[in-house]
Amino acid sequence: EICKKYGNDRARLMDMVREVQESIGHVPREAFGLIASEAKTHRVEVESVVSFYSFLSDKKKGEVVIRLCDDIIDRFQGADAIGDALIKELGIGFGETTADGTITLEKTACIGMSDQAPAMMANDTVVTNLAPEKIPGLVKQLRENPEPQALVTEMGDGNNADPLVQSMVCNNICEAGPVILSDYRKDGGLRKALTQTPEEVIEDIKTSQLRGRGGAGFLTGLKWELTRQAPGPDKFVLCNADEGEPGTFKDRVLLTERVDLVLEGMTVAAYAIGAETGIIYLRGEYSYLRAFLEDKMNQRRVAGLLGNNILGNEGFNFDVRIQMGAGAYVCGEETSLISSCEGTRGDPTDRTPFPVVKGYMVSPTAVNNVESYCCAARIMDKGPGWFSSIGTERSAGTKLLSVCGDCARPGIYEVPFGTKLREVLRLAGAEDVACVCVGGPSGQMVGPAQFELGISYEELSTGGSVMVFSNQRDILEVADAFMEFFVDESCGYCVPCRVGNVLLKNRLERVRKGEGSPADLDYLQRLGESVKFTSRCGLGQTSPNPVLSTLKNFRPVYNALVKDNGHGLNKSFNIMKAVEDASAIAGRRSEIFHA
Ligand code: SF4
């Protein structure tokens, strides 16, 4: 029945296995063959999808799966104490299920709630601002009524969003800038776009100098032009709402506060490139937004803003569907995201060809971030000159920042590009700041010497994450946690990323323990650069940044930890242990070690 609902379409395999998991709590191995035959694919394909995504499992789990957010912000805000309280109350450890089969306890990397940490998910329900004393009541309620939605009332976290969202989260908009979070003329941009030719729309986006807001900064107008010009009968508009970078939560806010603007921008893009189908790739951790988004899309269909002959424009047909992710950070990378939308593992693929030429279903595809679509709609309404007059010469417009960590006012800040980091910290009420991670774990860890730099593509580039760490924090503990994140999230395809990140983490740990030498710092630098330049996709190409940026900006911290024995040699080096470790990491048997 589930497979039929998706037209037995192999490209909807993700939806099929997700729905099986939602209905019976797991995807039993016995069902792999049946799903495969219904979807006209191979059993191994079903198995590879279920094993790839952390939210899917072939093992039976409890009626409720608690996923405690385990990013560094949550840890510093007390997640470990919450974990201890959950272990005590449930009588199980992480990765286990209670004997009555009611509750499974897990950790997860980041659930997009860093402004309300510590936080956790109970199935699709989010509970924020946790405290150890709240845990007994929460567990009691889940045991009596394994219906996580009821926690909304119980935990009293408040919900300012549309009742359909039922997310219990506050959106914490602290600074509303002129482009996205100010008042706007609903669908004004779309109406204006439809008075122009698609080529003129693309020209406007190019003139505005809009660059991708996900972090890479590619020119949006050029991307749309290349997609329009690429040969192919079908073209696609994809919205990257995967937002998996720890510390980022601005897309969550846009998807609750500015859904119409997101859909309007996607519709403008569809008109410009000639697409009839759009997909919002929504991260699994935001599944509580799905019904809300679908309701909004229905409203737009009724209003003639989605569907056939949009706003009376004969022949302009465009509609959007939601593709749910299932807990894989790498799917934020556009080729992985496309693989996932096609129902397979979220493996990155080689570029070339680029998605603008051969993307979703081997067709020309424009993949843009949620925020980019919002900007595009506003540019069409207010004009490209208005947009490019905001910001700096090479970074036009504003940037939405998700500020979290050690500050008085964590939340969303829309600031013109070029705003100095020091000003952002002042707005957020951050004092005695030792380090700011700009751009999440894949970004840069900077110290006070860099606080005068501006938020921009040319100075401090970020997809939105700004994590603040006071001088009470151990900076290398932060870097270590980020490396742990990358080790967990590497898809394992290429050696530099799969093995290099483990080696980086291990060597960093040695230095942190005071067992390192100056040679270890050179090793970290050289290995980090190698991983960066030899990895296949954006994950591996940015994963050494926590090590490389701390080596650059916090060298005295490292120097204080390493001992120079005068020979450049590390007396604590154990060659047999090193061979054993390397063999284990590479998954190979060492003949030397086993001789
Ligand atoms: Fe996979 Fe990492 Fe290689 Fe990307 S760089 S393909 S995430 S192993």
Side-chain angles (χ1 to χ4, degrees):
E1 282 304 306
I2 288 172
C3 295
K4 278 197 189 76
K5 182 176 158 189
Y6 294 102
N8 296 87
D9 182 358
R10 192 208 137 283
R12 304 300 297 274
L13 187 57
M14 269 284 283
D15 298 292
M16 295 174 199
V17 292
R18 264 195 72 99
E19 206 157 318
V20 171
Q21 167 108 13
E22 277 163 18
S23 55
I24 58 172
H26 70 309
V27 190
R29 298 186 74 78
E30 306 79 61
F32 288 0
L34 179 61
I35 297 170
S37 77
E38 288 291 318
K40 299 177 196 64
T41 186
H42 303 288
R43 186 184 189 282
V44 70
E45 184 107 42
V46 180
E47 186 166 1
S48 73
V49 167
V50 174
S51 62
F52 182 81
Y53 296 93
S54 67
F55 282 15
L56 301 176
S57 173
D58 60 0
K59 308 269 180 326
K60 182 103 179 114
K61 294 195 178 182
E63 288 176 62
V64 177
V65 178
I66 291 178
R67 294 189 172 98
L68 180 64
C69 184
D70 188 39
D71 69 15
I72 191 68
I73 297 291
D74 284 66
R75 283 188 205 169
F76 284 160
Q77 308 281 344
D80 288 344
I82 303 298
D84 291 343
L86 284 165
I87 288 169
K88 185 169 165 219
E89 258 338 280
L90 292 167
I92 55 172
F94 283 98
E96 295 175 358
T97 301
T98 53
D100 63 1
T102 313
I103 302 173
T104 297
L105 183 59
E106 294 181 351
K107 285 184 182 179
T108 195
C110 179
I111 62 172
M113 295 290 159
S114 302
D115 55 336
Q116 295 156 70
M120 67 176 216
M121 296 181 74
N123 291 353
D124 291 344
T125 297
V126 177
V127 188
T128 61
N129 298 308
L130 290 165
E133 59 273 19
K134 289 182 179 177
I135 298 302
L138 185 153
V139 169
K140 181 166 176 283
Q141 187 180 341
L142 283 176
R143 282 207 160 111
E144 287 169 359
N145 174 20
E147 176 43 69
Q149 279 294 336
L151 294 174
V152 180
T153 327
E154 177 71 18
M155 301 308 291
D157 275 336
N159 177 9
N160 296 335
D162 187 292
L164 264 173
V165 177
Q166 296 184 339
S167 65
M168 311 124 270
V169 298
C170 301
N171 277 336
N172 287 331
I173 295 174
C174 301
E175 186 80 12
V179 175
I180 297 177
L181 294 175
S182 60
D183 288 339
Y184 75 104
R185 200 163 63 102
K186 191 163 163 289
D187 294 302
L190 176 60
R191 287 173 200 280
K192 266 199 182 173
L194 294 179
T195 65
Q196 300 177 214
T197 65
E199 291 80 5
E200 287 169 342
V201 171
I202 289 173
E203 206 49 47
D204 274 358
I205 300 296
K206 282 170 77 178
T207 307
S208 75
Q209 299 174 50
L210 172 63
R211 296 170 67 174
R213 283 353 194 201
F218 193 79
L219 288 163
T220 305
L222 180 59
K223 183 181 280 188
W224 291 9
E225 185 174 59
L226 293 169
T227 314
R228 180 170 184 80
Q229 289 170 350
D234 299 316
K235 297 186 178 177
F236 295 93
V237 170
L238 266 57
C239 176
N240 185 345
D242 196 47
E243 189 161 62
E245 194 74 46
T248 316
F249 45 87
K250 50 109 183 161
D251 291 347
R252 178 199 90 210
V253 175
L254 291 177
L255 291 169
T256 48
E257 303 273 348
R258 289 290 182 271
V259 191
D260 280 305
L261 196 58
V262 178
L263 291 166
E264 183 187 346
M266 288 181 73
T267 312
V268 169
Y271 177 70
I273 69 169
E276 294 201 345
T277 303
I279 301 174
I280 296 176
Y281 188 88
L282 186 65
R283 68 183 303 215
E285 291 83 349
Y286 291 170
S287 51
Y288 58 91
L289 296 177
R290 183 178 189 167
F292 169 70
L293 293 172
E294 283 178 341
D295 188 62
K296 282 283 184 185
M297 281 151 54
N298 279 332
Q299 287 172 23
R300 290 183 73 83
R301 286 181 194 113
V302 171
L305 294 159
L306 281 179
N308 290 342
N309 304 322
I310 289 173
L311 288 174
N313 273 62
E314 190 73 25
F316 175 36
N317 309 326
F318 177 66
D319 214 330
V320 178
R321 76 168 172 91
I322 292 173
Q323 175 66 60
M324 291 304 306
Y329 167 80
V330 73
C331 287
E333 198 276 342
E334 66 176 358
T335 61
S336 310
L337 182 145
I338 289 169
S339 301
S340 192
C341 284
E342 291 170 342
T344 65
R345 288 162 50 98
D347 285 328
T349 55
D350 288 332
R351 336 177 216 202
T352 56
F354 288 97
V356 291
V357 180
K358 285 186 179 165
Y360 178 67
M361 307 308 275
V362 208
S363 297
T365 304
V367 186
N368 289 109
N369 178 261
V370 174
E371 188 181 346
S372 305
Y373 286 120
C374 291
C375 290
R378 293 284 283 153
I379 289 164
M380 292 318 299
D381 190 23
K382 299 274 282 179
W386 164 79
F387 186 81
S388 62
S389 71
I390 304 166
T392 70
E393 198 182 332
R394 290 178 51 206
S395 304
T398 58
K399 185 76 197 80
L400 281 188
L401 302 177
S402 322
V403 184
C404 60
D406 298 323
C407 58
R409 292 178 291 280
I412 297 295
Y413 294 77
E414 183 184 4
V415 297
F417 268 122
T419 302
K420 291 188 187 323
L421 179 57
R422 190 177 297 287
E423 172 63 6
V424 175
L425 296 174
R426 189 193 66 76
L427 288 169
E431 293 174 0
D432 303 322
V433 179
C435 170
V436 181
C437 180
V438 183
S442 67
Q444 302 290 318
M445 292 175 67
V446 300
Q450 289 83 35
F451 290 177
E452 290 304 317
L453 295 175
I455 301 291
S456 64
Y457 296 103
E458 53 271 38
E459 291 187 341
L460 291 174
S461 181
T462 173
S465 174
V466 176
M467 303 159 100
V468 183
F469 301 102
S470 77
N471 55 21
Q472 302 297 306
R473 308 298 186 193
D474 176 350
I475 288 161
L476 296 192
E477 183 183 351
V478 177
D480 199 359
F482 289 166
M483 291 314 301
E484 180 186 336
F485 171 75
F486 286 122
V487 167
D488 287 346
E489 296 295 337
S490 167
C491 82
Y493 178 89
C494 58
V495 174
C497 174
R498 185 182 70 239
V499 177
N501 283 321
V502 177
L503 295 175
L504 281 170
K505 177 166 167 44
N506 289 351
R507 195 61 62 101
L508 180 62
E509 274 173 12
R510 182 200 287 183
V511 171
R512 284 188 64 211
K513 280 192 221 151
E515 295 170 1
S517 73
D520 287 318
L521 305 191
D522 294 339
Y523 171 89
L524 284 170
Q525 182 74 36
R526 281 186 281 111
L527 179 60
E529 287 169 2
S530 299
V531 172
K532 214 170 159 54
F533 293 114
T534 54
S535 288
R536 185 189 196 202
C537 84
L539 189 150
Q541 288 157 11
T542 55
S543 57
N545 284 352
V547 170
L548 294 176
S549 63
T550 47
L551 279 170
K552 182 176 166 206
N553 298 325
F554 298 94
R555 192 72 178 204
V557 177
Y558 282 99
N559 289 341
L561 287 167
V562 295
K563 305 172 204 104
D564 190 348
N565 57 24
H567 307 291
L569 300 173
N570 180 0
K571 284 183 184 169
S572 64
F573 182 70
N574 179 333
I575 191 166
M576 295 305 285
K577 176 81 172 52
V579 171
E580 182 189 8
D581 288 348
S583 302
I585 292 164
R588 294 199 185 115
R589 184 182 150 82
S590 161
E591 294 309 324
I592 299 173
F593 188 72
H594 290 281

Short mmCIF file of all heavy atoms in Angstrom, two decimals, residues 176-219:
data_model
loop_
_atom_site.label_atom_id
_atom_site.label_comp_id
_atom_site.label_asym_id
_atom_site.label_seq_id
_atom_site.Cartn_x
_atom_site.Cartn_y
_atom_site.Cartn_z
N ALA A 176 15.49 42.40 12.76
CA ALA A 176 14.84 42.23 11.46
C ALA A 176 15.42 43.23 10.48
O ALA A 176 15.26 44.43 10.63
CB ALA A 176 13.34 42.43 11.60
N GLY A 177 16.12 42.73 9.47
CA GLY A 177 16.74 43.61 8.48
C GLY A 177 15.80 43.91 7.33
O GLY A 177 14.67 43.42 7.29
N PRO A 178 16.26 44.70 6.35
CA PRO A 178 15.37 45.21 5.31
C PRO A 178 14.96 44.22 4.23
O PRO A 178 13.94 44.42 3.58
CB PRO A 178 16.20 46.33 4.67
CG PRO A 178 17.62 45.94 4.91
CD PRO A 178 17.63 45.23 6.22
N VAL A 179 15.71 43.16 4.04
CA VAL A 179 15.43 42.30 2.87
C VAL A 179 14.42 41.22 3.19
O VAL A 179 13.43 41.03 2.47
CB VAL A 179 16.74 41.68 2.33
CG1 VAL A 179 16.45 40.70 1.20
CG2 VAL A 179 17.67 42.78 1.82
N ILE A 180 14.63 40.50 4.26
CA ILE A 180 13.82 39.29 4.46
C ILE A 180 12.83 39.41 5.61
O ILE A 180 11.68 39.01 5.49
CB ILE A 180 14.74 38.08 4.69
CG1 ILE A 180 15.58 37.84 3.43
CG2 ILE A 180 13.93 36.82 5.01
CD1 ILE A 180 16.57 36.74 3.54
N LEU A 181 13.27 39.95 6.72
CA LEU A 181 12.41 39.89 7.90
C LEU A 181 11.59 41.16 8.13
O LEU A 181 10.82 41.24 9.07
CB LEU A 181 13.25 39.55 9.14
CG LEU A 181 13.85 38.13 9.10
CD1 LEU A 181 14.77 37.90 10.28
CD2 LEU A 181 12.76 37.07 9.05
N SER A 182 11.76 42.16 7.27
CA SER A 182 10.88 43.33 7.38
C SER A 182 9.54 42.98 6.73
O SER A 182 9.40 41.92 6.13
CB SER A 182 11.51 44.51 6.65
OG SER A 182 11.68 44.17 5.30
N ASP A 183 8.58 43.90 6.82
CA ASP A 183 7.30 43.66 6.14
C ASP A 183 7.55 43.57 4.65
O ASP A 183 8.43 44.23 4.11
CB ASP A 183 6.34 44.82 6.41
CG ASP A 183 5.84 44.77 7.84
OD1 ASP A 183 5.91 43.68 8.44
OD2 ASP A 183 5.42 45.81 8.35
N TYR A 184 6.77 42.78 3.99
CA TYR A 184 6.96 42.69 2.54
C TYR A 184 5.61 42.53 1.85
O TYR A 184 4.61 42.14 2.48
CB TYR A 184 7.90 41.53 2.19
CG TYR A 184 7.27 40.15 2.30
CD1 TYR A 184 6.90 39.47 1.14
CD2 TYR A 184 7.06 39.54 3.53
CE1 TYR A 184 6.32 38.21 1.23
CE2 TYR A 184 6.50 38.30 3.62
CZ TYR A 184 6.13 37.62 2.47
OH TYR A 184 5.56 36.39 2.56
N ARG A 185 5.59 42.84 0.57
CA ARG A 185 4.36 42.76 -0.23
C ARG A 185 4.24 41.34 -0.73
O ARG A 185 5.02 40.91 -1.58
CB ARG A 185 4.48 43.75 -1.39
CG ARG A 185 3.17 44.14 -2.03
CD ARG A 185 3.38 45.41 -2.85
NE ARG A 185 4.32 45.20 -3.95
CZ ARG A 185 3.94 45.03 -5.22
NH1 ARG A 185 2.67 45.04 -5.53
NH2 ARG A 185 4.84 44.87 -6.17
N LYS A 186 3.28 40.61 -0.15
CA LYS A 186 3.17 39.19 -0.45
C LYS A 186 2.96 38.97 -1.95
O LYS A 186 2.06 39.54 -2.54
CB LYS A 186 2.01 38.60 0.34
CG LYS A 186 1.94 37.11 0.33
CD LYS A 186 1.03 36.61 1.45
CE LYS A 186 0.61 35.18 1.24
NZ LYS A 186 -0.32 34.98 0.17
N ASP A 187 3.81 38.16 -2.54
CA ASP A 187 3.78 37.80 -3.95
C ASP A 187 3.96 38.98 -4.89
O ASP A 187 3.70 38.86 -6.10
CB ASP A 187 2.51 37.00 -4.28
CG ASP A 187 2.53 35.67 -3.55
OD1 ASP A 187 3.48 34.90 -3.76
OD2 ASP A 187 1.63 35.42 -2.74
N GLY A 188 4.41 40.12 -4.35
CA GLY A 188 4.71 41.27 -5.22
C GLY A 188 5.81 40.94 -6.20
O GLY A 188 5.78 41.36 -7.37
N GLY A 189 6.83 40.19 -5.74
CA GLY A 189 7.94 39.83 -6.61
C GLY A 189 7.51 38.91 -7.73
O GLY A 189 7.92 39.08 -8.89
N LEU A 190 6.65 37.96 -7.42
CA LEU A 190 6.17 37.01 -8.44
C LEU A 190 5.34 37.75 -9.48
O LEU A 190 5.50 37.54 -10.70
CB LEU A 190 5.37 35.89 -7.77
CG LEU A 190 4.72 34.88 -8.72
CD1 LEU A 190 5.78 34.17 -9.57
CD2 LEU A 190 3.90 33.86 -7.93
N ARG A 191 4.45 38.61 -9.01
CA ARG A 191 3.58 39.36 -9.96
C ARG A 191 4.44 40.20 -10.90
O ARG A 191 4.18 40.25 -12.10
CB ARG A 191 2.59 40.24 -9.19
CG ARG A 191 1.49 39.43 -8.52
CD ARG A 191 0.59 40.29 -7.63
NE ARG A 191 -0.12 39.44 -6.68
CZ ARG A 191 -1.21 38.74 -6.95
NH1 ARG A 191 -1.74 38.82 -8.15
NH2 ARG A 191 -1.78 37.98 -6.04
N LYS A 192 5.48 40.83 -10.35
CA LYS A 192 6.34 41.64 -11.21
C LYS A 192 7.11 40.77 -12.19
O LYS A 192 7.26 41.11 -13.36
CB LYS A 192 7.33 42.44 -10.36
CG LYS A 192 6.86 43.82 -10.02
CD LYS A 192 8.05 44.67 -9.60
CE LYS A 192 7.59 46.05 -9.20
NZ LYS A 192 8.66 46.84 -8.64
N ALA A 193 7.62 39.64 -11.68
CA ALA A 193 8.40 38.75 -12.55
C ALA A 193 7.58 38.32 -13.76
O ALA A 193 8.09 38.24 -14.88
CB ALA A 193 8.88 37.53 -11.76
N LEU A 194 6.29 38.06 -13.51
CA LEU A 194 5.44 37.55 -14.60
C LEU A 194 5.12 38.62 -15.64
O LEU A 194 4.56 38.30 -16.70
CB LEU A 194 4.15 36.94 -14.03
CG LEU A 194 4.38 35.68 -13.18
CD1 LEU A 194 3.07 35.15 -12.63
CD2 LEU A 194 5.10 34.60 -13.98
N THR A 195 5.47 39.88 -15.34
CA THR A 195 5.29 40.92 -16.37
C THR A 195 6.52 41.01 -17.27
O THR A 195 6.54 41.78 -18.23
CB THR A 195 5.05 42.31 -15.73
OG1 THR A 195 6.23 42.69 -15.03
CG2 THR A 195 3.86 42.30 -14.79
N GLN A 196 7.58 40.26 -16.89
CA GLN A 196 8.84 40.30 -17.66
C GLN A 196 9.05 38.96 -18.36
O GLN A 196 8.38 37.97 -18.06
CB GLN A 196 10.01 40.56 -16.71
CG GLN A 196 9.91 41.88 -15.95
CD GLN A 196 11.06 42.06 -14.96
OE1 GLN A 196 10.88 42.63 -13.92
NE2 GLN A 196 12.23 41.56 -15.28
N THR A 197 10.01 38.93 -19.27
CA THR A 197 10.37 37.63 -19.87
C THR A 197 11.28 36.88 -18.89
O THR A 197 11.92 37.51 -18.02
CB THR A 197 11.14 37.83 -21.18
OG1 THR A 197 12.39 38.46 -20.87
CG2 THR A 197 10.36 38.68 -22.18
N PRO A 198 11.37 35.57 -19.02
CA PRO A 198 12.29 34.82 -18.14
C PRO A 198 13.72 35.36 -18.23
O PRO A 198 14.42 35.45 -17.22
CB PRO A 198 12.19 33.38 -18.68
CG PRO A 198 10.82 33.29 -19.27
CD PRO A 198 10.56 34.64 -19.86
N GLU A 199 14.15 35.73 -19.43
CA GLU A 199 15.51 36.26 -19.59
C GLU A 199 15.69 37.56 -18.82
O GLU A 199 16.75 37.81 -18.22
CB GLU A 199 15.83 36.49 -21.08
CG GLU A 199 15.97 35.24 -21.91
CD GLU A 199 14.63 34.62 -22.33
OE1 GLU A 199 13.58 35.24 -22.04
OE2 GLU A 199 14.64 33.54 -22.93
N GLU A 200 14.66 38.40 -18.80
CA GLU A 200 14.75 39.66 -18.05
C GLU A 200 14.81 39.40 -16.54
O GLU A 200 15.51 40.10 -15.80
CB GLU A 200 13.55 40.56 -18.39
CG GLU A 200 13.64 41.18 -19.78
CD GLU A 200 12.34 41.85 -20.23
OE1 GLU A 200 11.26 41.57 -19.64
OE2 GLU A 200 12.39 42.63 -21.19
N VAL A 201 14.07 38.38 -16.10
CA VAL A 201 14.11 38.03 -14.67
C VAL A 201 15.53 37.61 -14.30
O VAL A 201 16.10 38.06 -13.28
CB VAL A 201 13.11 36.89 -14.36
CG1 VAL A 201 13.31 36.36 -12.93
CG2 VAL A 201 11.67 37.37 -14.55
N ILE A 202 16.11 36.76 -15.12
CA ILE A 202 17.48 36.30 -14.86
C ILE A 202 18.44 37.49 -14.86
O ILE A 202 19.33 37.60 -13.99
CB ILE A 202 17.91 35.24 -15.91
CG1 ILE A 202 17.15 33.94 -15.65
CG2 ILE A 202 19.41 35.00 -15.86
CD1 ILE A 202 17.33 32.87 -16.70
N GLU A 203 18.25 38.40 -15.78
CA GLU A 203 19.12 39.59 -15.85
C GLU A 203 19.01 40.41 -14.56
O GLU A 203 20.02 40.91 -14.05
CB GLU A 203 18.73 40.44 -17.07
CG GLU A 203 19.83 41.28 -17.64
CD GLU A 203 21.15 40.55 -17.88
OE1 GLU A 203 21.13 39.44 -18.46
OE2 GLU A 203 22.19 41.07 -17.45
N ASP A 204 17.79 40.54 -14.03
CA ASP A 204 17.60 41.28 -12.77
C ASP A 204 18.34 40.59 -11.62
O ASP A 204 18.97 41.25 -10.79
CB ASP A 204 16.10 41.37 -12.43
CG ASP A 204 15.45 42.56 -13.11
OD1 ASP A 204 16.16 43.32 -13.80
OD2 ASP A 204 14.22 42.74 -12.95
N ILE A 205 18.23 39.27 -11.57
CA ILE A 205 18.90 38.55 -10.47
C ILE A 205 20.42 38.69 -10.63
O ILE A 205 21.14 38.86 -9.64
CB ILE A 205 18.47 37.05 -10.44
CG1 ILE A 205 16.95 36.93 -10.23
CG2 ILE A 205 19.22 36.30 -9.34
CD1 ILE A 205 16.44 37.43 -8.91
N LYS A 206 20.89 38.67 -11.87
CA LYS A 206 22.33 38.85 -12.09
C LYS A 206 22.77 40.25 -11.67
O LYS A 206 23.78 40.44 -11.00
CB LYS A 206 22.68 38.61 -13.58
CG LYS A 206 22.74 37.13 -13.93
CD LYS A 206 22.83 36.90 -15.41
CE LYS A 206 24.21 37.15 -15.97
NZ LYS A 206 24.25 36.87 -17.42
N THR A 207 21.97 41.26 -12.07
CA THR A 207 22.32 42.66 -11.72
C THR A 207 22.35 42.87 -10.21
O THR A 207 23.14 43.66 -9.69
CB THR A 207 21.29 43.62 -12.37
OG1 THR A 207 21.22 43.32 -13.76
CG2 THR A 207 21.67 45.08 -12.19
N SER A 208 21.48 42.17 -9.52
CA SER A 208 21.41 42.34 -8.06
C SER A 208 22.66 41.82 -7.35
O SER A 208 22.90 42.14 -6.20
CB SER A 208 20.19 41.59 -7.50
OG SER A 208 20.44 40.19 -7.50
N GLN A 209 23.42 40.97 -8.04
CA GLN A 209 24.62 40.33 -7.47
C GLN A 209 24.29 39.38 -6.32
O GLN A 209 25.12 39.16 -5.43
CB GLN A 209 25.64 41.36 -7.01
CG GLN A 209 26.15 42.25 -8.13
CD GLN A 209 27.03 43.35 -7.60
OE1 GLN A 209 27.95 43.08 -6.86
NE2 GLN A 209 26.75 44.58 -7.98
N LEU A 210 23.09 38.84 -6.35
CA LEU A 210 22.72 37.85 -5.31
C LEU A 210 23.63 36.64 -5.43
O LEU A 210 23.78 36.06 -6.50
CB LEU A 210 21.25 37.43 -5.49
CG LEU A 210 20.78 36.27 -4.62
CD1 LEU A 210 20.84 36.62 -3.13
CD2 LEU A 210 19.34 35.87 -4.99
N ARG A 211 24.20 36.23 -4.28
CA ARG A 211 25.02 35.02 -4.23
C ARG A 211 24.38 34.03 -3.26
O ARG A 211 23.68 34.41 -2.33
CB ARG A 211 26.45 35.37 -3.77
CG ARG A 211 27.15 36.28 -4.76
CD ARG A 211 28.46 36.83 -4.22
NE ARG A 211 29.48 35.81 -4.05
CZ ARG A 211 30.75 36.07 -3.71
NH1 ARG A 211 31.13 37.32 -3.51
NH2 ARG A 211 31.63 35.11 -3.59
N GLY A 212 24.63 32.74 -3.52
CA GLY A 212 23.99 31.69 -2.73
C GLY A 212 24.21 31.87 -1.24
O GLY A 212 25.33 32.11 -0.80
N ARG A 213 23.12 31.75 -0.47
CA ARG A 213 23.19 31.99 0.97
C ARG A 213 23.55 30.75 1.77
O ARG A 213 23.65 30.80 3.00
CB ARG A 213 21.85 32.52 1.48
CG ARG A 213 21.50 34.00 1.23
CD ARG A 213 22.54 34.84 0.67
NE ARG A 213 22.23 36.26 0.79
CZ ARG A 213 22.76 37.21 0.05
NH1 ARG A 213 23.63 36.89 -0.89
NH2 ARG A 213 22.46 38.47 0.24
N GLY A 214 23.73 29.62 1.10
CA GLY A 214 24.10 28.40 1.84
C GLY A 214 25.55 28.40 2.28
O GLY A 214 25.94 27.61 3.13
N GLY A 215 26.37 29.28 1.72
CA GLY A 215 27.76 29.35 2.14
C GLY A 215 28.72 29.40 0.96
O GLY A 215 29.75 30.06 1.01
N ALA A 216 28.39 28.70 -0.14
CA ALA A 216 29.33 28.63 -1.26
C ALA A 216 29.42 29.95 -2.01
O ALA A 216 30.47 30.29 -2.56
CB ALA A 216 28.92 27.50 -2.21
N GLY A 217 28.33 30.70 -2.06
CA GLY A 217 28.37 32.04 -2.63
C GLY A 217 28.38 32.11 -4.14
O GLY A 217 28.79 33.12 -4.72
N PHE A 218 27.91 31.07 -4.82
CA PHE A 218 27.85 31.12 -6.29
C PHE A 218 26.77 32.12 -6.71
O PHE A 218 25.73 32.25 -6.05
CB PHE A 218 27.53 29.73 -6.84
CG PHE A 218 27.74 29.60 -8.32
CD1 PHE A 218 29.00 29.42 -8.84
CD2 PHE A 218 26.66 29.69 -9.20
CE1 PHE A 218 29.20 29.32 -10.21
CE2 PHE A 218 26.84 29.58 -10.57
CZ PHE A 218 28.12 29.39 -11.08
N LEU A 219 27.00 32.81 -7.83
CA LEU A 219 26.04 33.83 -8.27
C LEU A 219 24.73 33.18 -8.72
O LEU A 219 24.71 32.34 -9.64
CB LEU A 219 26.64 34.63 -9.43
CG LEU A 219 27.76 35.60 -9.00
CD1 LEU A 219 28.58 36.04 -10.20
CD2 LEU A 219 27.18 36.81 -8.26
#
